[in-house]
Amino acid sequence: MSVTRAKLRFADLEVEFVDRDRGIKQVYEFAERGTWHPVVVFGPEGCGKSAWLRQAAEILKEMEFDVIYIDPLRKEFATHTSIEEVVSRFSEAIANATGFTPLKLADLVVYLANQLLKKWKRKRIALLVDEVFQAIGLDRAEAYVKALLNTIEYPPEPYEKIVIIAATSEGFSRWRIGRHRWAWIMPMWNMSKKGFEELYNRISKRVSSPIPDLDTVWKLTGGNPDMLALLYRAKWNIDKVVEVIAKSKGITKDFVKKWHQHLAEVVEDPDALMEKDFSKQFRNELIEKNLVVYDLYSRDPELWVDEPPPEKDPELGVGKYVAWQTPLHREAVKRVIKEL
Ligand SMILES: Nc1ncnc2c1ncn2[C@@H]1O[C@H](COP(=O)(O)OP(=O)(O)OP(=O)(O)O)[C@@H](O)[C@H]1O
Ligand SMILES: [Mg+2]
């Protein structure tokens, strides 16, 4: 079956959603069975979670779901529903810059989902909530997931199928939510080499200036499409990108000085963070700064959205249990270590 590809922003370009064949198949499976728990997807920043959610919206629309996609933090939404009121409620809420906090927007999703079932008697609904835990705060994450679960378990009216997916790059939310059995937690990784190559080819066709070869870009990004966008925006100036990452992630001299020896070991082998007896504070800082993904799931494809990362790839900074979000993140740390 051919699938309509979502149109996405990529720096200043518009691209079609590429690859992620397995991730697409999984959305069809969710649509057929419904998600009996909210699915919470976590993964490195910029790995393509939002893009996949937007692709999911297209698929679910074709499967005759009433779809609500919302990113409360960035105040973006997309709906596929014949119920005008749902669309206008979101438009108004988004336009009301002061009155509608991200938290209220997140709550509005739950309210309107229940209204879709109760008032409008819709039978197939899909809620796709992006970066919601950053938007509402980690303290509210559990209650929010419980509210989503209640929509599935105690609906105001019987339904055929409900699909609920929430995405997050917040490093700690998975553990907070994982304490309860309220969600089905699934990791997602950067793009596979094949998928990344496809995206790279599409981008390189559209730029007039020469760009580094695929292998170089793969080794820098580890398949992270946002890092590709960052390199593209910086006109492939790697030093500039590394500096931007160091600044935005708080990889300061003080931070590196404080953990110098530990960091040097984790740069060499990310699994050191799991296997050695480093302080908890050091580990938490690396997770909090979104530099690494800690305690990776086994590579059983059933557990992952789309393709799991390799079992181990030292060149990309992927260990068995811990991985640098991208090689560029590792490089940013490496450079500050060298400067000291
Ligand atoms: N499969 C894909 N095909 C084409 N473009 C993609 C794909 N996946 C991601 N992109 C593009 O790469 C960039 C980063 O992806 P996206 O914003 O989806 O990542 P994310 O995981 O949601 O990031 P964040 O953690 O910052 O929210 C975006 O410009 C997006 O449009
Ligand atoms: Mg996102």
PDB file of all heavy atoms in Angstrom, residues 178-200:
ATOM      1  N   GLY A 178       7.704   5.198  33.742  1.00  0.00           N
ATOM      2  CA  GLY A 178       7.922   3.754  33.812  1.00  0.00           C
ATOM      3  C   GLY A 178       7.660   3.166  35.197  1.00  0.00           C
ATOM      4  O   GLY A 178       7.514   1.951  35.342  1.00  0.00           O
ATOM      5  N   ARG A 179       7.583   4.030  36.225  1.00  0.00           N
ATOM      6  CA  ARG A 179       7.300   3.507  37.569  1.00  0.00           C
ATOM      7  C   ARG A 179       5.897   2.909  37.641  1.00  0.00           C
ATOM      8  O   ARG A 179       5.600   2.111  38.512  1.00  0.00           O
ATOM      9  CB  ARG A 179       7.379   4.653  38.601  1.00  0.00           C
ATOM     10  CG  ARG A 179       8.734   5.280  38.692  1.00  0.00           C
ATOM     11  CD  ARG A 179       8.853   6.102  39.926  1.00  0.00           C
ATOM     12  NE  ARG A 179       7.919   7.236  39.907  1.00  0.00           N
ATOM     13  CZ  ARG A 179       8.113   8.351  40.622  1.00  0.00           C
ATOM     14  NH1 ARG A 179       9.174   8.465  41.379  1.00  0.00           N
ATOM     15  NH2 ARG A 179       7.256   9.341  40.577  1.00  0.00           N
ATOM     16  N   HIS A 180       5.022   3.350  36.756  1.00  0.00           N
ATOM     17  CA  HIS A 180       3.653   2.832  36.743  1.00  0.00           C
ATOM     18  C   HIS A 180       3.483   2.003  35.476  1.00  0.00           C
ATOM     19  O   HIS A 180       4.274   2.090  34.572  1.00  0.00           O
ATOM     20  CB  HIS A 180       2.647   3.984  36.699  1.00  0.00           C
ATOM     21  CG  HIS A 180       2.978   5.085  37.634  1.00  0.00           C
ATOM     22  ND1 HIS A 180       2.665   5.042  38.945  1.00  0.00           N
ATOM     23  CD2 HIS A 180       3.634   6.252  37.438  1.00  0.00           C
ATOM     24  CE1 HIS A 180       3.100   6.149  39.534  1.00  0.00           C
ATOM     25  NE2 HIS A 180       3.702   6.888  38.638  1.00  0.00           N
ATOM     26  N   ARG A 181       2.410   1.246  35.439  1.00  0.00           N
ATOM     27  CA  ARG A 181       2.151   0.510  34.199  1.00  0.00           C
ATOM     28  C   ARG A 181       1.091   1.245  33.379  1.00  0.00           C
ATOM     29  O   ARG A 181       0.122   0.663  32.935  1.00  0.00           O
ATOM     30  CB  ARG A 181       1.715  -0.917  34.510  1.00  0.00           C
ATOM     31  CG  ARG A 181       2.770  -1.691  35.217  1.00  0.00           C
ATOM     32  CD  ARG A 181       2.538  -3.178  35.108  1.00  0.00           C
ATOM     33  NE  ARG A 181       3.767  -3.879  35.413  1.00  0.00           N
ATOM     34  CZ  ARG A 181       4.633  -4.266  34.498  1.00  0.00           C
ATOM     35  NH1 ARG A 181       4.405  -4.025  33.225  1.00  0.00           N
ATOM     36  NH2 ARG A 181       5.732  -4.895  34.856  1.00  0.00           N
ATOM     37  N   TRP A 182       1.288   2.533  33.234  1.00  0.00           N
ATOM     38  CA  TRP A 182       0.274   3.346  32.581  1.00  0.00           C
ATOM     39  C   TRP A 182       0.579   3.583  31.109  1.00  0.00           C
ATOM     40  O   TRP A 182      -0.252   4.086  30.371  1.00  0.00           O
ATOM     41  CB  TRP A 182       0.156   4.710  33.280  1.00  0.00           C
ATOM     42  CG  TRP A 182      -0.345   4.592  34.676  1.00  0.00           C
ATOM     43  CD1 TRP A 182      -0.976   3.510  35.224  1.00  0.00           C
ATOM     44  CD2 TRP A 182      -0.272   5.580  35.696  1.00  0.00           C
ATOM     45  NE1 TRP A 182      -1.300   3.772  36.517  1.00  0.00           N
ATOM     46  CE2 TRP A 182      -0.877   5.040  36.847  1.00  0.00           C
ATOM     47  CE3 TRP A 182       0.247   6.878  35.747  1.00  0.00           C
ATOM     48  CZ2 TRP A 182      -0.988   5.742  38.035  1.00  0.00           C
ATOM     49  CZ3 TRP A 182       0.139   7.578  36.937  1.00  0.00           C
ATOM     50  CH2 TRP A 182      -0.474   7.014  38.070  1.00  0.00           C
ATOM     51  N   ALA A 183       1.804   3.289  30.720  1.00  0.00           N
ATOM     52  CA  ALA A 183       2.201   3.588  29.343  1.00  0.00           C
ATOM     53  C   ALA A 183       3.034   2.437  28.804  1.00  0.00           C
ATOM     54  O   ALA A 183       3.587   1.636  29.558  1.00  0.00           O
ATOM     55  CB  ALA A 183       3.016   4.868  29.303  1.00  0.00           C
ATOM     56  N   TRP A 184       3.102   2.367  27.493  1.00  0.00           N
ATOM     57  CA  TRP A 184       3.988   1.441  26.810  1.00  0.00           C
ATOM     58  C   TRP A 184       5.131   2.297  26.283  1.00  0.00           C
ATOM     59  O   TRP A 184       4.922   3.145  25.421  1.00  0.00           O
ATOM     60  CB  TRP A 184       3.229   0.732  25.684  1.00  0.00           C
ATOM     61  CG  TRP A 184       4.062  -0.241  24.931  1.00  0.00           C
ATOM     62  CD1 TRP A 184       4.469  -0.117  23.639  1.00  0.00           C
ATOM     63  CD2 TRP A 184       4.573  -1.498  25.408  1.00  0.00           C
ATOM     64  NE1 TRP A 184       5.216  -1.216  23.283  1.00  0.00           N
ATOM     65  CE2 TRP A 184       5.296  -2.074  24.347  1.00  0.00           C
ATOM     66  CE3 TRP A 184       4.505  -2.170  26.630  1.00  0.00           C
ATOM     67  CZ2 TRP A 184       5.946  -3.304  24.477  1.00  0.00           C
ATOM     68  CZ3 TRP A 184       5.144  -3.393  26.749  1.00  0.00           C
ATOM     69  CH2 TRP A 184       5.848  -3.945  25.672  1.00  0.00           C
ATOM     70  N   ILE A 185       6.312   2.110  26.882  1.00  0.00           N
ATOM     71  CA  ILE A 185       7.417   3.015  26.567  1.00  0.00           C
ATOM     72  C   ILE A 185       8.268   2.415  25.449  1.00  0.00           C
ATOM     73  O   ILE A 185       8.681   1.256  25.545  1.00  0.00           O
ATOM     74  CB  ILE A 185       8.251   3.288  27.825  1.00  0.00           C
ATOM     75  CG1 ILE A 185       7.339   3.958  28.879  1.00  0.00           C
ATOM     76  CG2 ILE A 185       9.447   4.176  27.527  1.00  0.00           C
ATOM     77  CD1 ILE A 185       7.999   4.238  30.200  1.00  0.00           C
ATOM     78  N   MET A 186       8.488   3.189  24.412  1.00  0.00           N
ATOM     79  CA  MET A 186       9.270   2.700  23.268  1.00  0.00           C
ATOM     80  C   MET A 186      10.365   3.689  22.896  1.00  0.00           C
ATOM     81  O   MET A 186      10.094   4.872  22.694  1.00  0.00           O
ATOM     82  CB  MET A 186       8.373   2.498  22.038  1.00  0.00           C
ATOM     83  CG  MET A 186       7.340   1.416  22.205  1.00  0.00           C
ATOM     84  SD  MET A 186       6.398   1.208  20.686  1.00  0.00           S
ATOM     85  CE  MET A 186       7.488   0.107  19.766  1.00  0.00           C
ATOM     86  N   PRO A 187      11.603   3.195  22.793  1.00  0.00           N
ATOM     87  CA  PRO A 187      12.664   4.094  22.322  1.00  0.00           C
ATOM     88  C   PRO A 187      12.672   4.209  20.797  1.00  0.00           C
ATOM     89  O   PRO A 187      12.168   3.335  20.087  1.00  0.00           O
ATOM     90  CB  PRO A 187      13.934   3.400  22.810  1.00  0.00           C
ATOM     91  CG  PRO A 187      13.580   1.955  22.923  1.00  0.00           C
ATOM     92  CD  PRO A 187      12.103   1.860  23.161  1.00  0.00           C
ATOM     93  N   MET A 188      13.226   5.327  20.347  1.00  0.00           N
ATOM     94  CA  MET A 188      13.416   5.523  18.904  1.00  0.00           C
ATOM     95  C   MET A 188      14.838   6.019  18.731  1.00  0.00           C
ATOM     96  O   MET A 188      15.350   6.741  19.590  1.00  0.00           O
ATOM     97  CB  MET A 188      12.416   6.566  18.424  1.00  0.00           C
ATOM     98  CG  MET A 188      12.505   6.898  16.965  1.00  0.00           C
ATOM     99  SD  MET A 188      11.053   7.900  16.508  1.00  0.00           S
ATOM    100  CE  MET A 188      11.467   8.246  14.818  1.00  0.00           C
ATOM    101  N   TRP A 189      15.476   5.625  17.652  1.00  0.00           N
ATOM    102  CA  TRP A 189      16.856   6.050  17.443  1.00  0.00           C
ATOM    103  C   TRP A 189      16.965   6.943  16.215  1.00  0.00           C
ATOM    104  O   TRP A 189      15.975   7.176  15.508  1.00  0.00           O
ATOM    105  CB  TRP A 189      17.791   4.822  17.361  1.00  0.00           C
ATOM    106  CG  TRP A 189      19.220   5.231  17.553  1.00  0.00           C
ATOM    107  CD1 TRP A 189      20.224   5.192  16.634  1.00  0.00           C
ATOM    108  CD2 TRP A 189      19.788   5.790  18.746  1.00  0.00           C
ATOM    109  NE1 TRP A 189      21.379   5.704  17.185  1.00  0.00           N
ATOM    110  CE2 TRP A 189      21.127   6.078  18.473  1.00  0.00           C
ATOM    111  CE3 TRP A 189      19.274   6.091  20.013  1.00  0.00           C
ATOM    112  CZ2 TRP A 189      21.988   6.659  19.420  1.00  0.00           C
ATOM    113  CZ3 TRP A 189      20.123   6.663  20.954  1.00  0.00           C
ATOM    114  CH2 TRP A 189      21.468   6.932  20.657  1.00  0.00           C
ATOM    115  N   ASN A 190      18.169   7.456  15.987  1.00  0.00           N
ATOM    116  CA  ASN A 190      18.456   8.224  14.776  1.00  0.00           C
ATOM    117  C   ASN A 190      18.172   7.350  13.550  1.00  0.00           C
ATOM    118  O   ASN A 190      17.920   6.165  13.669  1.00  0.00           O
ATOM    119  CB  ASN A 190      19.919   8.670  14.801  1.00  0.00           C
ATOM    120  CG  ASN A 190      20.213   9.579  15.996  1.00  0.00           C
ATOM    121  OD1 ASN A 190      19.402  10.432  16.327  1.00  0.00           O
ATOM    122  ND2 ASN A 190      21.352   9.366  16.650  1.00  0.00           N
ATOM    123  N   MET A 191      18.264   7.931  12.366  1.00  0.00           N
ATOM    124  CA  MET A 191      17.898   7.180  11.159  1.00  0.00           C
ATOM    125  C   MET A 191      18.935   6.096  10.853  1.00  0.00           C
ATOM    126  O   MET A 191      20.115   6.230  11.179  1.00  0.00           O
ATOM    127  CB  MET A 191      17.786   8.125   9.965  1.00  0.00           C
ATOM    128  CG  MET A 191      16.717   9.182  10.163  1.00  0.00           C
ATOM    129  SD  MET A 191      16.586  10.323   8.788  1.00  0.00           S
ATOM    130  CE  MET A 191      15.495   9.401   7.694  1.00  0.00           C
ATOM    131  N   SER A 192      18.464   5.050  10.213  1.00  0.00           N
ATOM    132  CA  SER A 192      19.381   4.002   9.763  1.00  0.00           C
ATOM    133  C   SER A 192      20.234   4.580   8.631  1.00  0.00           C
ATOM    134  O   SER A 192      19.893   5.618   8.060  1.00  0.00           O
ATOM    135  CB  SER A 192      18.589   2.807   9.236  1.00  0.00           C
ATOM    136  OG  SER A 192      17.919   3.188   8.045  1.00  0.00           O
ATOM    137  N   LYS A 193      21.303   3.879   8.316  1.00  0.00           N
ATOM    138  CA  LYS A 193      22.196   4.404   7.279  1.00  0.00           C
ATOM    139  C   LYS A 193      21.462   4.567   5.945  1.00  0.00           C
ATOM    140  O   LYS A 193      21.624   5.570   5.252  1.00  0.00           O
ATOM    141  CB  LYS A 193      23.414   3.496   7.120  1.00  0.00           C
ATOM    142  CG  LYS A 193      24.444   4.099   6.209  1.00  0.00           C
ATOM    143  CD  LYS A 193      25.840   3.851   6.667  1.00  0.00           C
ATOM    144  CE  LYS A 193      26.817   4.719   5.888  1.00  0.00           C
ATOM    145  NZ  LYS A 193      28.159   4.208   5.894  1.00  0.00           N
ATOM    146  N   LYS A 194      20.625   3.605   5.656  1.00  0.00           N
ATOM    147  CA  LYS A 194      19.889   3.649   4.378  1.00  0.00           C
ATOM    148  C   LYS A 194      18.943   4.853   4.339  1.00  0.00           C
ATOM    149  O   LYS A 194      18.881   5.594   3.359  1.00  0.00           O
ATOM    150  CB  LYS A 194      19.106   2.337   4.213  1.00  0.00           C
ATOM    151  CG  LYS A 194      18.154   2.314   3.064  1.00  0.00           C
ATOM    152  CD  LYS A 194      17.361   1.011   3.057  1.00  0.00           C
ATOM    153  CE  LYS A 194      16.003   1.183   2.414  1.00  0.00           C
ATOM    154  NZ  LYS A 194      14.988   1.832   3.237  1.00  0.00           N
ATOM    155  N   GLY A 195      18.201   5.048   5.406  1.00  0.00           N
ATOM    156  CA  GLY A 195      17.255   6.169   5.467  1.00  0.00           C
ATOM    157  C   GLY A 195      17.970   7.501   5.436  1.00  0.00           C
ATOM    158  O   GLY A 195      17.558   8.437   4.744  1.00  0.00           O
ATOM    159  N   PHE A 196      19.067   7.569   6.169  1.00  0.00           N
ATOM    160  CA  PHE A 196      19.831   8.812   6.229  1.00  0.00           C
ATOM    161  C   PHE A 196      20.400   9.133   4.849  1.00  0.00           C
ATOM    162  O   PHE A 196      20.397  10.292   4.418  1.00  0.00           O
ATOM    163  CB  PHE A 196      20.945   8.686   7.269  1.00  0.00           C
ATOM    164  CG  PHE A 196      21.695   9.956   7.498  1.00  0.00           C
ATOM    165  CD1 PHE A 196      21.151  10.971   8.261  1.00  0.00           C
ATOM    166  CD2 PHE A 196      22.947  10.151   6.936  1.00  0.00           C
ATOM    167  CE1 PHE A 196      21.833  12.160   8.473  1.00  0.00           C
ATOM    168  CE2 PHE A 196      23.641  11.325   7.133  1.00  0.00           C
ATOM    169  CZ  PHE A 196      23.087  12.339   7.908  1.00  0.00           C
ATOM    170  N   GLU A 197      20.854   8.101   4.166  1.00  0.00           N
ATOM    171  CA  GLU A 197      21.412   8.297   2.815  1.00  0.00           C
ATOM    172  C   GLU A 197      20.347   8.892   1.889  1.00  0.00           C
ATOM    173  O   GLU A 197      20.624   9.801   1.108  1.00  0.00           O
ATOM    174  CB  GLU A 197      21.901   6.948   2.264  1.00  0.00           C
ATOM    175  CG  GLU A 197      22.511   7.075   0.888  1.00  0.00           C
ATOM    176  CD  GLU A 197      23.136   5.774   0.383  1.00  0.00           C
ATOM    177  OE1 GLU A 197      23.087   4.757   1.121  1.00  0.00           O
ATOM    178  OE2 GLU A 197      23.636   5.777  -0.742  1.00  0.00           O
ATOM    179  N   GLU A 198      19.136   8.398   2.037  1.00  0.00           N
ATOM    180  CA  GLU A 198      18.040   8.900   1.204  1.00  0.00           C
ATOM    181  C   GLU A 198      17.800  10.389   1.480  1.00  0.00           C
ATOM    182  O   GLU A 198      17.650  11.186   0.552  1.00  0.00           O
ATOM    183  CB  GLU A 198      16.777   8.090   1.514  1.00  0.00           C
ATOM    184  CG  GLU A 198      15.807   8.033   0.361  1.00  0.00           C
ATOM    185  CD  GLU A 198      14.597   7.179   0.708  1.00  0.00           C
ATOM    186  OE1 GLU A 198      14.765   6.028   1.181  1.00  0.00           O
ATOM    187  OE2 GLU A 198      13.487   7.675   0.527  1.00  0.00           O
ATOM    188  N   LEU A 199      17.781  10.747   2.763  1.00  0.00           N
ATOM    189  CA  LEU A 199      17.569  12.151   3.131  1.00  0.00           C
ATOM    190  C   LEU A 199      18.735  13.010   2.619  1.00  0.00           C
ATOM    191  O   LEU A 199      18.533  14.074   2.036  1.00  0.00           O
ATOM    192  CB  LEU A 199      17.427  12.273   4.658  1.00  0.00           C
ATOM    193  CG  LEU A 199      17.141  13.663   5.210  1.00  0.00           C
ATOM    194  CD1 LEU A 199      15.824  14.227   4.680  1.00  0.00           C
ATOM    195  CD2 LEU A 199      17.098  13.631   6.743  1.00  0.00           C
ATOM    196  N   TYR A 200      19.948  12.504   2.822  1.00  0.00           N
ATOM    197  CA  TYR A 200      21.159  13.208   2.367  1.00  0.00           C
ATOM    198  C   TYR A 200      21.083  13.462   0.851  1.00  0.00           C
ATOM    199  O   TYR A 200      21.361  14.560   0.377  1.00  0.00           O
ATOM    200  CB  TYR A 200      22.381  12.367   2.717  1.00  0.00           C
ATOM    201  CG  TYR A 200      23.690  12.854   2.123  1.00  0.00           C
ATOM    202  CD1 TYR A 200      24.508  13.731   2.826  1.00  0.00           C
ATOM    203  CD2 TYR A 200      24.097  12.421   0.857  1.00  0.00           C
ATOM    204  CE1 TYR A 200      25.707  14.169   2.284  1.00  0.00           C
ATOM    205  CE2 TYR A 200      25.287  12.857   0.299  1.00  0.00           C
ATOM    206  CZ  TYR A 200      26.093  13.724   1.012  1.00  0.00           C
ATOM    207  OH  TYR A 200      27.269  14.157   0.462  1.00  0.00           O
TER     208      TYR A 200
END
